[in-house]
């Protein structure tokens, strides 16, 4: 089992550009979560999916953020346009109702 | 308001010096309380889940306990490799986001040899 796989590991982009983060959950896990981690606010939930359906997106900060899960093995988080305040580490996690497993994260820097 | 508060924010210990980390929580109904370990540059790694007051779980030098308002992570005779940030999270029993984990900001533990 390769665990939750996120790509890219690091992303540096200019303000105004579109950024797409990718996640492959663990096979068989039916829930997928996108979190953002900053020093000031810690880990915050952005959105989560259950059986590929978005259940709670109340944490998505603005319309600039969007997430999709077209199938059980892939999800994307898109920021368009990106802003410097979006700089953070973005984590994807998946679970089959016990012991959420996190990926290694994507460190996003918007300059 | 904060639903999960961890203390202290940072803790420095000498190797072998036992101590405890605290996690206090405020939720309408607790479905589970989770402890994670996070090393620099990595995602949180699952340690324990506790479901009801009085429950305890152990793993090597770590023991987690739970009451109706807080959880403790006891570290016995820590080693330098225990240095990490320890995160506490709660999952609510009621409400619309029953699948979500609400995290505290963590305790950064440093163990010096």
């Amino acid at each position: 089992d390769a665990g939750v796989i996120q790509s890219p590991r690091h992303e540096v982009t200019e303000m105004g550009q579109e950024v797409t983060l990718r996640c492959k959950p663990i096979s068989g896990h039916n829930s997928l979560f996108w979190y953002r981690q900053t020093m000031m606010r810690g880990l915050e939930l952005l959105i989560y999916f259950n059986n590929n359906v978005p259940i709670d997106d109340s944490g998505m900060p603005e319309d600039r953020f969007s997430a999709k899960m077209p199938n059980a093995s892939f999800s994307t988080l898109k920021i368009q346009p990106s802003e410097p305040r979006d700089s953070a580490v973005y984590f994807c996690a998946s679970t089959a109702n016990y012991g959420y497993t996190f990926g290694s994260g994507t460190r996003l820097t918007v300059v | 308001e904060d639903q999960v508060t961890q203390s202290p924010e940072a803790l420095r210990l000498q190797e072998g010096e036992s101590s405890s980390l605290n996690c206090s929580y405020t939720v309408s109904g607790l479905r589970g309380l989770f402890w994670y370990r996070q090393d620099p540059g990595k995602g949180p790694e699952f340690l324990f889940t506790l479901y009801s007051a009085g429950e305890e779980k152990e793993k090597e030098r770590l023991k987690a306990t739970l009451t109706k308002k807080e959880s403790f992570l006891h570290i016995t005779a820590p080693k330098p490799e225990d240095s990490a940030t320890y995160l506490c999270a709660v999952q609510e029993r009621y409400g619309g986001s029953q699948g979500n984990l609400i995290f505290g900001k963590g305790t950064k533990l440093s163990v010096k040899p």
Side-chain angles (χ1 to χ4, degrees):
Chain A
D1 185 352
V4 176
I5 300 172
Q6 291 187 246
S7 64
R9 285 299 313 275
H10 302 274
E11 177 80 38
V12 180
T13 191
E14 291 185 349
M15 182 174 63
Q17 295 298 306
E18 177 180 298
V19 175
T20 300
L21 311 181
R22 297 173 175 78
C23 176
K24 176 178 169 53
I26 291 175
S27 177
H29 283 191
N30 60 346
S31 294
L32 181 142
F33 303 79
W34 282 100
Y35 282 87
R36 179 170 66 177
Q37 188 174 41
T38 61
M39 290 290 292
M40 289 295 295
R41 301 176 68 87
L43 270 166
E44 299 176 291
L45 179 72
L46 299 176
I47 185 171
Y48 86 90
F49 296 84
N50 193 40
N51 293 322
N52 311 339
V53 176
I55 302 299
D56 183 359
D57 65 355
S58 59
M60 297 285 262
E62 300 170 31
D63 291 344
R64 298 185 295 108
F65 286 68
S66 63
K68 294 182 179 180
M69 192 165 186
N71 56 62
S73 60
F74 184 65
S75 178
T76 59
L77 177 67
K78 184 178 293 186
I79 308 172
Q80 166 62 19
S82 58
E83 297 182 3
R85 59 194 169 119
D86 301 331
S87 298
V89 182
Y90 291 80
F91 287 103
C92 175
S94 69
T95 183
N97 286 327
Y98 180 80
Y100 295 47
T101 303
F102 283 78
S104 297
T106 295
R107 180 174 293 277
L108 174 65
T109 303
V110 183
V111 298
Chain B
E1 74 284 359
D2 287 346
Q3 292 179 277
V4 183
T5 303
Q6 292 189 246
S7 62
E9 291 185 10
L11 181 62
R12 290 190 173 188
L13 299 174
Q14 289 296 125
E15 185 172 1
E17 180 187 1
S18 301
S19 188
S20 296
L21 314 182
N22 177 264
C23 171
S24 61
Y25 62 91
T26 306
V27 293
S28 56
L30 182 70
R31 187 176 180 189
L33 184 140
F34 297 71
W35 282 99
Y36 282 82
R37 168 189 172 131
Q38 187 174 22
D39 293 295
K42 296 188 177 181
E45 176 186 344
F46 173 75
L47 292 174
F48 305 108
T49 308
L50 302 167
Y51 294 103
S52 57
E55 189 175 0
E56 298 182 353
K57 288 194 176 171
E58 291 188 62
K59 180 179 181 180
E60 296 180 356
R61 295 177 292 281
L62 300 177
K63 183 169 81 172
T65 61
L66 181 65
T67 72
K68 289 186 178 180
K69 293 185 177 181
E70 59 190 350
S71 176
F72 291 93
L73 184 65
H74 307 278
I75 303 177
T76 302
K79 298 182 178 181
E81 53 261 42
D82 294 322
S83 297
T85 296
Y86 290 85
L87 298 166
C88 170
V90 298
Q91 187 179 37
E92 293 184 285
R93 184 180 297 279
Y94 309 112
S97 297
Q98 293 182 30
N100 178 27
L101 293 185
I102 304 167
F103 281 87
K105 291 189 169 66
T107 294
K108 184 175 182 179
L109 174 66
S110 299
V111 182
K112 302 298 182 185

